[in-house]
Amino acid sequence: MKLNQSQIQQALICGKAIVFDEIDSTNEYLLTHHQELENGTVCLAEKQTAGRGRRGRTWYSPKSENLYFSILWHYSAEDAANLPSLSLVVSLIIAESLQAQNVADIQIKWPNDIYYQGKKMGGILLESKASRNGLDLVIGIGLNLGMTKVDESVVTQAWADLSQYHFDRNQLACQLAFKLQKNLKIYPLVGFSHYAERWQAFDIFRHKAVKLVTESNEIHGISLGINEQGELLLQQGETVQSFGIGEMSLRAD
């Protein structure tokens, strides 16, 4: 079933729903037009020709039953200072929404990759543009809902999809849009500590040996989960270090 713009529009607290059959990138569209679009606008597409993920990677986005979804949200300059951990909140909303639809074995890999049965099923990319009096944040979400094969030259890691659940994409898009708008609104008021314990319940690497791969080295240790700022806690011997979200990748060791 194709994405239904009017159905998704009805679920929004604010902003507009925009649906494309094909586009280069839903994130790029919102970033390009952020100054004229209403707060809360969501952009979805059946296919992306230039979808992107974290750290400059390509997000494989064939025309299929997947969900390619971006949302625009304005934050004041004061609120923008407290946004580094917001991507973890987005991953939690997705994980809880899928769990509520009786999807078992949903996990999150810090900071915000969505896993299903130990394999990557979804990703989140936050990008931003300065606005006249703050920051316009664009949150991109890609979920493999019905992808039976991939281009192995693009997708180089173990992947999963949720095709066995036969999701109604419009219903899921409506649920995610509503919950995202609600939580994007309250996040500056409650902070990440409001979500930290719930996030921990989905942590795929908590209490496991991991390595944190940066551009220059690898840091090995035991993941102790996250703190109330959403930073990764890594135990090395008797010491525990915290790491904020950045240009690094967490992997099993």
Side-chain angles (χ1 to χ4, degrees):
M1 183 179 294
K2 291 179 69 69
L3 294 167
N4 186 315
Q5 183 169 299
S6 61
Q7 182 179 345
I8 298 168
Q9 178 68 57
Q10 292 175 7
L12 301 184
I13 298 171
C14 57
K16 291 185 177 181
I18 303 171
V19 174
F20 291 97
D21 188 59
E22 182 177 309
I23 197 173
D24 54 353
S25 161
T26 56
N27 259 35
E28 188 60 38
Y29 178 84
L30 295 183
L31 288 168
T32 300
H33 300 283
H34 72 105
Q35 291 182 321
E36 62 258 33
L37 291 172
E38 296 177 37
N39 187 49
T41 292
V42 297
C43 178
L44 301 95
E46 297 286 355
K47 176 182 179 180
Q48 293 184 119
T49 58
R52 55 181 182 259
R54 290 184 66 231
R55 304 178 75 195
R57 296 190 179 100
T58 297
W59 186 264
Y60 184 61
S61 310
K63 191 163 189 172
S64 61
E65 294 299 304
N66 296 334
L67 195 63
Y68 315 124
F69 176 116
S70 297
I71 183 169
L72 173 71
W73 201 264
H74 174 76
Y75 284 107
S76 68
E78 181 182 0
D79 290 338
N82 300 315
L83 297 182
S85 300
L86 187 56
S87 66
L88 281 77
V89 176
V90 177
S91 67
L92 174 65
I93 291 168
I94 294 170
E96 289 184 337
S97 296
L98 293 173
Q99 190 179 68
Q101 296 291 321
N102 298 315
V103 179
D105 299 322
I106 289 292
Q107 302 114 359
I108 304 172
K109 181 173 79 73
W110 183 86
N112 55 27
D113 283 341
I114 309 297
Y115 273 54
Y116 172 63
Q117 295 184 342
K119 297 177 181 179
K120 187 170 179 176
M121 185 276 296
I124 298 162
L125 177 65
L126 270 64
E127 300 179 286
S128 62
K129 291 277 191 178
S131 67
R132 294 179 184 87
N133 57 351
L135 189 76
D136 284 339
L137 186 69
V138 173
I139 301 168
I141 298 168
L143 299 177
N144 299 337
L145 300 182
M147 187 165 65
T148 55
K149 63 179 181 178
V150 301
D151 181 344
E152 293 182 357
S153 67
V154 178
V155 182
T156 58
Q157 61 179 300
W159 62 275
D161 79 333
L162 300 180
S163 55
Q164 70 188 80
Y165 291 94
H166 306 288
F167 271 104
D168 180 328
R169 289 186 302 155
N170 288 301
Q171 184 181 12
L172 181 60
C174 288
Q175 291 172 346
L176 288 177
F178 177 79
K179 290 180 180 179
L180 283 168
Q181 289 191 340
K182 178 182 176 182
N183 284 277
L184 290 171
K185 187 175 183 179
I186 69 170
Y187 180 75
L189 305 175
V190 300
F192 184 73
S193 60
H194 177 74
Y195 303 92
E197 187 174 343
R198 287 154 56 194
W199 192 97
Q200 300 267 31
F202 292 97
D203 187 354
I204 192 172
F205 284 148
R206 194 177 186 190
H207 302 310
K208 294 181 180 179
V210 296
K211 61 181 177 182
L212 198 57
V213 182
T214 69
E215 289 186 357
S216 57
N217 66 342
E218 294 183 359
I219 306 167
H220 299 258
I222 303 296
S223 172
L224 300 183
I226 57 172
N227 60 20
E228 292 203 341
Q229 288 74 49
E231 298 171 327
L232 175 71
L233 298 176
L234 197 64
Q235 182 176 13
Q236 297 171 297
E238 299 298 317
T239 64
V240 177
Q241 282 185 277
S242 60
F243 295 88
I245 299 170
E247 292 301 306
M248 58 185 73
S249 177
L250 183 65
R251 302 175 188 174
D253 196 358

